[in-house]
Amino acid sequence: MDSAVLPLRFQDWFSSRGWSPRPHQLALVDHLGRGDSTLLIAPTGAGKTLAGFLPSLVELEARAKLPPDSPGSKGLHTLYISPLKALAVDIARNLEAPVSEMGLPVTLETRTGDTPSHKRQRQKRNPPDILLTTPEQIALLLSDPVSMEMFRTLKTVVLDELHALVTSKRGDLLALGLARLRQICPNLRTIGLSATVAEPDDLRAYLVAQDVCGERQLSKVVQIAGGAEPDIAILDTQERLPWSGHSSRHAIGEIYELIKQHNVSLIFVNTRSQAEVIFQELWRINDDTLPIALHHGSLDVGQRRKVEAAMASGVLRAVVATSSLDMGIDWGDIDLVINVGAPKGASRLAQRIGRANHRMDEPSKAILVPANRFEVLECQAALAASRRGEQDTPPLRKGALDVLAQHVLGLACAAPFDPVSVFDEIRSSETYRHLTWETFEKVLNFVATGGYALKTYEQYAKLRKGPDGLWRIAHPKIAQQYRLNVGTIVEAPMLKVRLVKSKADGRRNPIGRGGRVLGEIEEWFIEQLSQGDTFLFGGEILRFEGLRENEAFASRSKSETPMIPSYQGGKFPLSTYLAESVRAMLADPASWQHLPDQVRDWLQLQQTKSKLPPRDGLLVETFPRSRYNYMVCYPFEGRLAHQTLGMLLTKRLERLGAKPMGFVANDYALSIWGLGDLSLLFETGRIDLDALFEEDILGDDLDAWLAESSLLKRTFRNCAVIAGLIERRHPGKEKSGRQVTVSSDLIYDVLRSHEPDHILLQATWNDAAEGLLDISRLSELLARIKGRITHTRLTKVSPLAVPILLEIGKEPVYGEAIDDILAEAADDLILEAME
Amino acid sequence: MSALTSYLDDFAIAPVCHDIQINGETVGLHESGILWWPDQSVMVVSDMHLEKASSYARRGVMLPPYDTGITLERLAAAIETFDPACVISLGDSFHDPDGSDRLPPVYRAMLTSLQLNRDWIWVTGNHDPIAPVRLCGETVDEISIGPLTFRHEPLQKTDRDVIAGEICGHLHPAARVRRYGRSIRRSCFATDGYRLVMPAFGALTGGLNVNDPAFHLVFRRRQFSVFMLGNDRLYPFTASRLIED
């Protein structure tokens, strides 16, 4: 295809800059010109954004030549939707350059939660040609009878970072919004912009309307081959590799040297606490006072913007960041990405590495820094995957029911609707294709009257069915309520962290009005602190002083060693793909040649002292230690699945008389300890291992456990807020006194005992099975190892078991198990294994 | 029936209360959240907030409509256990002034049967300042029996001669303790030996931490104890052992 498909003005612009349009840019113009929705898959730096807008710019140029006031000569033409509002603003800025350089008569504006209300009102009456916005704003606009009108002229929707959008409930909300938009404008075309993914067909299906009875419909796809192959290496540390932990302290000197050797480095870590530790440690040895900054999601927004601006203007040498910097926005010339800790997924790693050298023809340079021995294996597997270009993005999710409930209320706010045609509309989106009429009706009843078997709320119904068969909101107030509740992001209750003078300075009344706010921190984390405890936050060691209303007061501490928070949040589970690669590597000693000596020695020792975990089966080791008997198995299915398995196995072992006392799980292994002689019980067959790991454990045992556990309460709260059963906490309203607000925990208890089939409990269960409990992976594991369980009786801890045993006491232990062996010294354990 | 089994039966059904002294009078605290005064055969329940869910439903928040049923079943169990001559409902019996009017017939019948053969006193509360409609019982703003005074809202004073013997509700006390790195939060009784604040009895009523400033006007700082409601017993703690929310 040649650039002749472009109007002269565009051709001139490209050649005036010494460029020629890239083939994928022309391909998009061509597909869209034929009315086809298209997915564009490209690595970062391939000119994805311009490609996404080029078809619209071409059409808008032609539209401007129509006589004014002729049909189709004005109105909203293109919607651009991004997962980040900062990204929408950034893209608008980048797009203004070509528009003004070509002298195109095109208006473009952003609309986010920050847009002033007078501007939003004006946008409804007089929309721009191109509107850049977020999924929540689309939901809001669609629920408003006035603004809905502005979509009638819409021709194209551009979805940026689609691979990231579709993995969350925001993607569900957007899918429903798209289904609505297709009804309003039947010839609507969509463009998806995505990084490389494992299943491009999922995204192609997401982009177009599905025919429920027929075959899966797919959009066109344009794929750009990867640019120059990235230059990735694993840090070959000269230090001793830790057995466990995630801090990477051992490699801090080496990381610092790397920063010195490069212009700008981006240091990615997996959790906020890791970011804090690495930042702290780097500054401890920063003898050259290199400008090194910190960036994570709980820092104050102003602070984050400052770091971003400094990065863009090139005054920084390094930024330590969490996934808050994973996405899209251009931060200038980064020439090295350092990934600290395990990558957890091959695609995740590829996207992070793509942040270096935002020009696709030059190789991105990245260095992986594993924090412990298992992470070396994981890094090695990720490296191999990257060389083969393999991807492990998660499969497309099924649409959540709480999001559907929110959408149904939004529809009613916009206009009276016919449930049958709405049902068809919803099922035309790929994510809700599986929805049954029965479930839809339950959702509808939930929105109308709470959906309870006891029908007592008819008189208070929010939605009513009119004599015309259409459903409408009972009162305009309902629409106001809806608008306050839109969105799928439910923040964990957060407290502001405010700097104050220390109580330790001997002042009698230490907590005055306090100084500046440093950022926000989860309520549950503060709950476990006592006054005087020290923790890392915002790159400083703080001393907790106390709580005042919704603020945590903290002072600067002189302490050298903070009590490091063990944040649970922000940990990504090991991807199935990487897990499989690690198992394969372990089982095949020939593949160990690429591993560092320390790791190879460790694995060889395991081979001599015990056995290697098989690729498809499961190795179960048992050994006595101190007062207890331990069982360690190595499923490699991620921490969440292991935790669920640990809980269920403990229950079973208890029933079988093995007297289990507790368990601990990490991404690679699971260990259970107890008083009973597990070695003997397994060897004599008194406990049959195959029966112990039988798949039926996911039946009654799971139900029984969930019934008495409060594990699902947090999940329930999120669902209840999204579905609109309880109102969001809005800033400033918390002070109304907790005794008058309704606790979602109490509602959960009431529903579980009185209406266990309620739609919200179903939504909660779906969420938990996917996330918190990781049931699908657990059930795959149980099926895989069936009949392939190997038991090895040992006299003492094996080398491979050391890391998991070292985590005892560091990770929270669930259940009633008594964990009174926390004090066991780590060094003894290691010596024991090496003997 | 042998003497032994009869003894065991008696033992099994004898309610176990935690006896404490309020203004010199012995009263029992029960894990169900009620107060039992054996000398007068008086049982006290506070802050039932009946029809709370339907109160929310009126403004579009469709909470599960089972709270009244759950609360009344708990109340029936307590009444069966203690068989009191008199029940005092210590205010906020209904979540709003129309609550008694909205009470579904089945629950009205249930409540009426609980009132048979005993005195019933409705103390008014801020949520239900008027007498409930179509229900038996006497409605009062407060009532004194012997050395004890029953009112919904505690007087905002801590002078011991003024508040001695005050039994009240309103604040929905809850306490949090930390053990083995995990914190546990429960509804509780709170007392300094002079006055007693009752836990909220309703199925959908939350709690307010006793470290909240609202309690500073009721107890001298840290000079009180709580009895947290457990599954089959009460857990006593002194205020100094409790943590904030």
Side-chain angles (χ1 to χ4, degrees):
Chain A
M1 201 179 315
D2 74 79
S3 52
V5 300
L6 290 181
L8 210 53
R9 204 186 316 202
F10 288 77
Q11 293 179 36
D12 290 347
W13 179 74
F14 274 105
S15 46
S16 74
R17 323 217 76 198
W19 299 342
S20 51
R22 291 188 170 157
H24 66 267
Q25 292 171 331
L26 297 174
L28 270 178
V29 173
D30 185 53
H31 286 319
L32 271 279
R34 294 168 203 271
D36 291 331
S37 296
T38 309
L39 174 68
L40 174 62
I41 299 177
T44 35
K48 215 165 22 180
T49 314
L50 184 59
F53 283 101
L54 204 53
S56 296
L57 294 179
V58 168
E59 285 175 23
L60 282 166
E61 199 234 6
R63 189 174 88 168
K65 291 177 183 150
L66 294 172
D69 296 327
S70 64
S73 70
K74 61 179 178 218
L76 180 65
H77 178 282
T78 296
L79 268 180
Y80 163 91
I81 301 166
S82 103
L84 294 176
K85 56 183 176 194
L87 190 54
V89 175
D90 198 53
I91 295 287
R93 216 171 23 231
N94 292 346
L95 204 56
E96 265 157 17
V99 165
S100 71
E101 282 160 13
M102 282 186 264
L104 295 174
V106 170
T107 53
L108 49 105
E109 288 175 9
T110 56
R111 182 190 181 97
T112 68
D114 301 337
T115 307
S117 71
H118 66 87
K119 188 173 173 190
R120 285 196 236 179
Q121 289 304 324
R122 202 262 301 137
Q123 282 175 340
K124 283 187 203 170
R125 289 191 314 272
N126 185 14
D129 300 325
I130 299 176
L131 185 68
L132 302 100
T133 187
T134 59
E136 288 75 18
Q137 292 294 325
I138 298 297
L140 277 170
L141 286 168
L142 282 172
S143 75
D144 178 351
V146 180
S147 50
M148 216 178 70
E149 281 305 307
M150 81 188 215
F151 291 125
R152 302 231 177 258
T153 57
L154 187 66
K155 299 283 183 289
T156 307
V157 180
V158 181
L159 307 166
D160 204 352
E161 306 274 355
L162 187 59
H163 60 281
L165 261 176
V166 297
T167 56
S168 67
K169 287 189 179 177
R170 297 181 84 199
D172 298 349
L173 187 68
L174 183 58
L176 294 165
L178 280 178
R180 187 84 272 267
L181 285 172
R182 282 192 206 102
Q183 291 298 313
I184 300 171
C185 355
N187 294 321
L188 189 70
R189 300 154 305 173
T190 51
I191 297 178
L193 308 178
S194 167
T196 318
V197 290
E199 294 292 339
D201 283 2
D202 283 350
L203 298 189
R204 293 171 70 191
Y206 184 94
L207 286 175
V208 293
Q210 296 299 320
D211 174 5
V212 177
C213 312
E215 274 177 40
R216 199 186 197 198
Q217 303 291 307
L218 299 177
S219 74
K220 295 270 189 275
V221 61
V222 175
Q223 180 139 18
I224 308 174
E229 196 159 294
D231 164 17
I232 314 174
I234 297 177
L235 179 72
D236 188 11
T237 184
Q238 300 307 306
E239 308 293 327
R240 218 172 106 77
L241 258 173
W243 289 81
S244 76
H246 304 281
S247 72
S248 298
R249 272 211 188 84
H250 69 281
I252 220 69
E254 289 159 322
I255 294 175
Y256 186 67
E257 283 309 309
L258 286 168
I259 296 173
K260 282 213 280 197
Q261 290 158 18
H262 292 81
N263 293 325
V264 188
S265 306
L266 194 49
I267 302 159
F268 275 119
V269 296
N270 287 333
T271 67
R272 205 168 58 206
S273 63
Q274 270 177 306
E276 295 278 5
V277 171
I278 296 283
F279 177 73
Q280 189 76 17
E281 295 286 321
L282 280 175
W283 271 95
R284 203 190 286 276
I285 58 165
N286 191 358
D287 296 333
D288 307 275
T289 54
L290 300 177
I292 298 173
L294 176 66
H295 191 288
H296 62 62
S298 349
L299 290 179
D300 186 60
V301 181
Q303 179 65 24
R304 271 184 278 160
R305 295 294 164 264
K306 252 192 252 172
V307 172
E308 287 159 15
M311 191 76 182
S313 64
V315 295
L316 292 180
R317 289 292 296 278
V319 177
V320 182
T322 59
S323 52
S324 61
L325 271 186
D326 265 2
M327 243 180 299
I329 307 167
D330 202 338
W331 301 116
D333 272 334
I334 296 158
D335 57 349
L336 177 67
V337 168
I338 302 175
N339 193 83
V340 176
K344 296 298 163 205
S347 297
R348 163 174 296 277
L349 181 67
Q351 283 155 29
R352 286 185 158 183
I353 291 174
R355 303 310 310 279
N357 235 333
H358 239 188
R359 281 182 296 271
M360 70 178 285
D361 319 323
E362 296 167 29
S364 313
K365 188 171 174 194
I367 292 186
L368 313 183
V369 183
N372 61 49
R373 290 163 187 233
F374 267 120
E375 288 190 353
V376 172
L377 302 178
E378 202 183 315
C379 285
Q380 191 67 44
L383 191 64
S386 162
R387 294 212 171 110
R388 288 192 301 269
E390 306 214 25
Q391 301 295 332
D392 55 2
T393 43
L396 202 66
R397 39 179 284 129
K398 279 189 175 180
L401 297 175
D402 48 353
V403 180
L404 182 60
Q406 188 182 104
H407 178 70
V408 165
L409 184 57
L411 287 177
C413 293
F417 67 76
D418 167 46
V420 177
S421 53
V422 159
F423 175 64
D424 289 342
E425 173 187 315
I426 288 165
R427 288 211 303 170
S428 75
S429 77
E430 174 68 13
T431 31
Y432 286 94
R433 204 179 167 188
H434 61 280
L435 186 72
T436 62
W437 172 256
E438 191 197 358
T439 309
F440 174 69
E441 244 186 340
K442 277 173 102 172
V443 170
L444 190 57
N445 285 328
F446 165 78
V447 177
T449 58
Y452 301 106
L454 194 64
K455 299 213 174 297
T456 51
Y457 290 161
E458 298 298 338
Q459 51 183 326
Y460 313 125
K462 287 206 262 193
L463 302 186
R464 290 187 197 287
K465 191 176 174 179
D468 51 2
L470 302 184
W471 290 69
R472 43 174 62 80
I473 49 171
H475 195 278
K477 262 201 323 219
I478 309 281
Q480 286 167 18
Q481 263 179 8
Y482 166 81
R483 277 183 202 115
L484 288 175
N485 202 45
V486 165
T488 59
I489 300 169
V490 182
E491 302 288 346
M494 299 291 269
L495 296 167
K496 287 201 167 87
V497 181
R498 190 181 287 282
L499 200 60
V500 295
K501 290 224 168 89
S502 172
K503 225 172 200 168
D505 292 345
R507 294 148 46 105
R508 270 187 72 80
N509 190 9
I511 299 177
R513 305 263 311 280
R516 67 194 172 92
V517 171
L518 299 174
E520 291 193 320
I521 198 161
E522 284 94 347
E523 197 175 279
W524 66 260
F525 174 70
I526 288 294
E527 266 172 19
Q528 47 176 16
L529 296 184
S530 303
Q531 193 205 343
D533 281 352
T534 53
F535 61 104
L536 271 177
F537 189 84
E540 297 182 78
I541 300 175
L542 300 180
R543 181 179 188 275
F544 179 61
E545 299 290 352
L547 273 179
R548 283 295 170 276
E549 280 155 9
N550 298 304
E551 298 191 340
F553 283 18
S555 62
R556 288 211 168 90
S557 167
K558 297 179 191 83
S559 148
E560 288 273 301
T561 48
M563 163 200 154
I564 298 163
S566 84
Y567 286 110
Q568 290 161 296
K571 282 188 186 170
F572 312 101
L574 178 66
S575 83
T576 316
Y577 173 81
L578 278 194
E580 218 172 280
S581 312
V582 171
R583 280 201 309 271
M585 198 188 306
L586 270 178
D588 174 22
S591 70
W592 299 351
Q593 50 177 341
H594 304 294
L595 297 174
D597 294 346
Q598 298 183 53
V599 178
R600 209 162 45 224
D601 292 348
W602 173 53
L603 296 182
Q604 272 158 2
L605 208 56
Q606 169 72 13
Q607 210 174 0
T608 346
K609 305 252 169 190
S610 174
K611 279 184 183 148
L612 293 170
R615 184 175 180 158
D616 294 317
L618 182 72
L619 171 68
V620 178
E621 295 173 337
T622 53
F623 51 86
R625 192 183 134 65
S626 178
R627 287 178 291 148
Y628 298 110
N629 288 290
Y630 287 78
M631 145 182 174
V632 180
C633 59
Y634 306 90
F636 295 94
E637 290 296 349
R639 196 170 52 94
L640 295 172
H642 293 171
Q643 256 171 20
T644 307
L645 181 62
M647 197 66 232
L648 297 174
L649 286 179
T650 313
K651 292 254 157 209
R652 271 202 172 169
L653 287 170
E654 207 169 285
R655 268 209 313 276
L656 294 167
K659 298 182 194 140
M661 302 294 288
F663 74 90
V664 63
N666 65 12
D667 262 347
Y668 317 103
L670 164 70
S671 171
I672 300 178
W673 62 91
L675 297 170
D677 187 347
L678 291 166
S679 304
L680 194 71
L681 288 168
F682 291 161
E683 255 180 13
T684 57
R686 292 250 321 277
I687 293 180
D688 177 29
L689 273 174
D690 285 317
L692 187 65
F693 284 89
E694 178 59 47
E695 286 165 280
D696 62 9
I697 201 167
L698 291 175
D700 295 349
D701 284 333
L702 182 61
D703 286 347
W705 168 45
L706 288 177
E708 62 190 64
S709 140
S710 61
L711 208 61
L712 297 191
K713 283 185 174 168
R714 203 178 293 184
T715 312
F716 175 77
R717 179 173 175 273
N718 286 356
C719 289
V721 169
I722 292 171
L725 178 68
I726 53 176
E727 288 157 330
R728 268 169 202 277
R729 279 208 215 175
H730 287 284
K733 279 180 102 180
E734 293 95 335
K735 284 184 190 170
S736 56
R738 293 192 190 176
Q739 81 271 38
V740 295
T741 60
V742 186
S743 140
S744 60
D745 290 4
L746 294 174
I747 301 174
Y748 177 80
D749 289 339
V750 167
L751 273 183
R752 264 208 80 101
S753 60
H754 283 70
E755 197 153 345
D757 294 330
H758 193 265
I759 191 84
L760 269 194
L761 291 182
Q762 202 176 318
T764 305
W765 168 250
N766 291 348
D767 268 18
E770 285 299 310
L772 201 58
L773 305 173
D774 217 347
I775 301 292
S776 59
R777 255 177 106 171
L778 184 49
S779 84
E780 277 165 29
L781 161 72
L782 296 175
R784 186 186 82 219
I785 60 171
K786 210 170 183 169
R788 294 184 181 149
I789 302 174
T790 328
H791 173 225
T792 304
R793 178 184 191 155
L794 304 171
T795 51
K796 60 183 186 203
V797 58
S798 75
L800 219 50
V802 170
I804 180 79
L805 260 62
L806 281 174
E807 295 207 28
I808 294 175
K810 285 190 189 157
E811 291 287 324
V813 179
Y814 294 103
E816 311 89 315
I818 306 158
D819 48 346
D820 56 350
I821 53 165
L822 307 184
E824 294 184 16
D827 289 345
D828 296 350
L829 199 63
I830 295 165
L831 282 179
E832 217 178 294
M834 304 299 278
E835 263 169 31
Chain B
M1 192 189 293
S2 79
L4 178 64
T5 53
S6 143
Y7 168 79
L8 284 179
D9 273 0
D10 279 355
F11 186 77
I13 59 161
V16 180
C17 281
H18 200 106
D19 287 344
I20 60 163
Q21 302 265 319
I22 301 288
N23 202 19
E25 194 66 27
T26 301
V27 291
L29 310 181
H30 191 249
E31 71 246 16
S32 63
I34 64 95
L35 176 83
W36 171 235
W37 189 5
D39 288 357
Q40 302 282 341
S41 191
V42 167
M43 189 185 103
V44 188
V45 60
S46 189
D47 295 274
M48 290 196 283
H49 288 263
L50 297 172
E51 291 300 299
K52 176 167 180 170
S54 66
S55 183
Y56 272 76
R58 289 198 301 180
R59 52 181 191 85
V61 179
M62 306 294 183
L63 300 183
Y66 303 103
D67 60 320
T68 300
I70 295 171
T71 306
L72 286 180
E73 270 159 33
R74 285 184 199 164
L75 183 66
I79 287 178
E80 192 183 338
T81 306
F82 292 98
D83 193 19
C86 173
V87 171
I88 299 177
S89 181
L90 202 52
D92 288 1
S93 310
F94 292 90
H95 189 70
D96 61 76
D98 303 328
S100 58
D101 192 34
R102 280 201 311 276
L103 197 64
V106 50
Y107 296 133
R108 183 176 304 281
M110 189 170 168
L111 194 47
T112 306
S113 76
L114 291 177
Q115 293 181 322
L116 285 179
N117 300 321
R118 56 179 55 90
D119 293 334
W120 196 282
I121 296 167
W122 300 104
V123 176
T124 56
N126 52 316
H127 281 263
D128 54 353
I130 53 165
V133 299
R134 286 177 282 138
L135 280 169
C136 304
E138 184 189 347
T139 302
V140 299
D141 288 337
E142 59 177 71
I143 182 171
S144 293
I145 305 174
L148 301 182
T149 299
F150 300 87
R151 65 169 69 93
H152 178 64
E153 225 170 305
L155 297 178
Q156 299 202 343
K157 291 191 172 118
T158 53
D159 314 274
R160 286 183 171 159
D161 48 332
V162 179
I163 56 100
E166 184 183 70
I167 311 285
C168 55
H170 182 61
L171 291 169
H172 300 199
R176 189 188 283 279
V177 290
R178 185 171 40 219
R179 291 233 115 166
Y180 305 124
R182 300 174 70 191
S183 77
I184 303 166
R185 191 182 196 272
R186 291 284 168 82
S187 282
C188 64
F189 294 91
T191 181
D192 57 3
Y194 294 89
R195 72 163 29 135
L196 173 75
V197 186
M198 303 264 302
F201 194 79
L204 281 182
T205 48
L208 180 69
N209 193 303
V210 291
N211 277 328
D212 189 274
F215 283 91
H216 298 345
L217 301 165
V218 179
F219 297 119
R220 295 180 189 181
R221 289 298 277 281
R222 305 259 176 214
Q223 294 183 27
F224 61 97
S225 308
V226 302
F227 296 84
M228 293 169 72
L229 307 190
N231 287 335
D232 42 19
R233 57 165 290 201
L234 292 169
Y235 297 92
F237 289 96
T238 57
S240 58
R241 295 279 310 280
L242 305 175
I243 59 171
E244 300 183 17
D245 276 336

